[in-house]
Amino acid sequence: RANIELEKQQAQLPSLAEIQSLYGTKPYILGLDRCQAYRDTVDPEFRLIGPAGLFNSATNLLAQLLKMNCINNARLKTKKYRPRDAPSGVKIQAPWGKHNPVFWRLHHEAKVGGAGTKQE
């Protein structure tokens, strides 16, 4: 019986070809052209990352994957950051908020994890 329900759900999902016709076959990563400038101006100890996105877009999963796979060793070596200060360099959300529009960047500070984080 559960298998029948699963088949009904699968029938409603778009095919891979339909998805690729809408969104392409490669990821789009904005800002790669600014990586070197970021590295040149932000000391490794102060480099942070945090997820942001629409509701139901897997931002919590992304936060967990970042914590599991991205470690800022320069930040950890200082031993001066408490757990709430993202000692590994991974914050639970972007400083302007996890589900807020990107145009809030530089104009809003999230209550959790936003204080003291430069948004430049």
Side-chain angles (χ1 to χ4, degrees):
R1 180 169 180 164
N3 195 27
I4 294 170
E5 292 299 318
L6 182 61
E7 288 176 7
K8 285 181 183 177
Q9 280 184 321
Q10 287 176 334
Q12 295 173 0
L13 296 174
S15 69
L16 179 60
E18 291 172 308
I19 294 169
Q20 289 177 340
S21 72
L22 290 170
Y23 302 106
T25 59
K26 297 179 182 175
Y28 294 98
I29 302 173
L30 300 176
L32 287 177
D33 57 319
R34 298 189 309 262
C35 288
Q36 191 59 51
Y38 179 78
R39 288 186 193 111
D40 292 343
T41 58
V42 180
D43 289 332
E45 177 188 343
F46 300 109
R47 295 177 189 166
L48 298 168
I49 187 170
L54 300 173
F55 288 100
N56 296 316
S57 65
T59 52
N60 289 326
L61 173 63
L62 180 56
Q64 289 302 314
L65 292 172
L66 289 170
K67 283 183 181 182
M68 290 170 29
N69 295 289
C70 301
I71 304 294
N72 181 335
N73 287 320
R75 192 171 174 88
L76 280 176
K77 286 178 185 175
T78 66
K79 298 183 191 261
K80 63 182 179 183
Y81 298 101
R82 297 171 295 202
R84 71 176 188 176
D85 297 327
S88 68
V90 178
K91 297 180 90 58
I92 63 166
Q93 64 182 349
W96 61 89
K98 190 185 291 185
H99 301 300
N100 293 332
V102 73
F103 61 81
W104 281 26
R105 183 177 176 263
L106 305 175
H107 305 288
H108 179 75
E109 186 177 272
K111 289 181 182 177
V112 176
T117 304
K118 293 176 87 174
Q119 297 188 40
E120 297 174 20

